[in-house]
Amino acid sequence: MSSDETSDVPPGDADPSPAPPPPPPPPDEAPAPAPAPVVPSSSPRPRSLTSLKVLSWVVIAAGVVLIVAGGVTWFVVRDQLADEKITVSEDADHFAGDDVNGPLTAYSEAETINHHALEASGGKTYAELEQDDPVRQTVMTASFLRASLFTSVVSFGVAAFAAGVGVLMVIIGFVLLKVTSALGVLRAQPSP
């Protein structure tokens, strides 16, 4: 193509170059941001009370499990003690002559055994006796018996604690159910 041919192109048909963007406005004349859309005010959507109701029933169920576990533990320990056919010594401060089948009788017998062992050893404990002292075996056996009886006392305590916590959880669960139903009634009432 010759230079003459390019000159034959009419001036309006020439490929115009893109126009430069307009300069940004000065900082003091910056356009204000668009206002946020107006949303009609409405009360928040009420949340479902289902999760609170489920939590209430879970707490009640856990409480029942603890009550049952505590009761079973109590009776198993009591039966194991009763099977040993231990009787509280006649010279015990409390429960003399009673069968050992509960925490109080077990504690009383453990204290009486300790009293007898200290009498036999002249007031010395197992650790204070000489290795070759013949009374040492008696004091050691007394110590083992006391430890076993105290273990049963602790077991009774743990069983009672578990059952007590279970009762508390059942009460809390029922209170949560009452709160849930009260909230449901409040939500059902129209707003003023």
Side-chain angles (χ1 to χ4, degrees):
M1 203 185 241
S2 72
S3 65
D4 291 338
E5 291 178 16
T6 57
S7 62
D8 291 341
V9 176
D13 291 343
D15 187 24
S17 63
D28 58 336
E29 295 178 22
V38 177
V39 177
S41 69
S42 63
S43 61
R45 185 173 167 222
R47 300 178 110 186
S48 172
L49 295 175
T50 305
S51 58
L52 187 56
K53 198 171 198 175
V54 168
L55 174 66
S56 302
W57 285 110
V58 167
V59 169
I60 290 169
V64 169
V65 167
L66 282 173
I67 291 169
V68 169
V72 167
T73 302
W74 182 281
F75 289 111
V76 166
V77 173
R78 186 199 66 185
D79 291 345
Q80 291 295 314
L81 273 177
D83 288 348
E84 295 297 322
K85 301 196 185 325
I86 304 168
T87 303
V88 179
S89 301
E90 292 298 328
D91 60 339
D93 292 336
H94 308 287
F95 309 106
D98 289 354
D99 291 336
V100 175
N101 58 7
L104 299 177
T105 54
Y107 183 83
S108 180
E109 181 60 16
E111 287 300 309
T112 305
I113 289 172
N114 185 48
H115 176 72
H116 291 170
L118 290 174
E119 270 184 5
S121 67
K124 292 183 178 179
T125 64
Y126 174 79
E128 295 171 326
L129 293 170
E130 297 294 326
Q131 291 281 340
D132 57 349
D133 192 331
V135 178
R136 195 163 198 239
Q137 183 64 36
T138 302
V139 174
M140 180 178 67
T141 302
S143 178
F144 291 155
L145 289 172
R146 289 183 67 228
S148 296
L149 289 169
F150 283 138
T151 300
S152 69
V153 171
V154 170
S155 298
F156 281 117
V158 170
F161 179 76
V165 170
V167 168
L168 185 63
M169 288 180 74
V170 168
I171 291 169
I172 290 171
F174 279 116
V175 168
L176 283 174
L177 278 178
K178 290 289 186 185
V179 168
T180 303
S181 59
L183 287 174
V185 168
L186 287 175
R187 285 187 179 179
Q189 294 177 352
S191 304

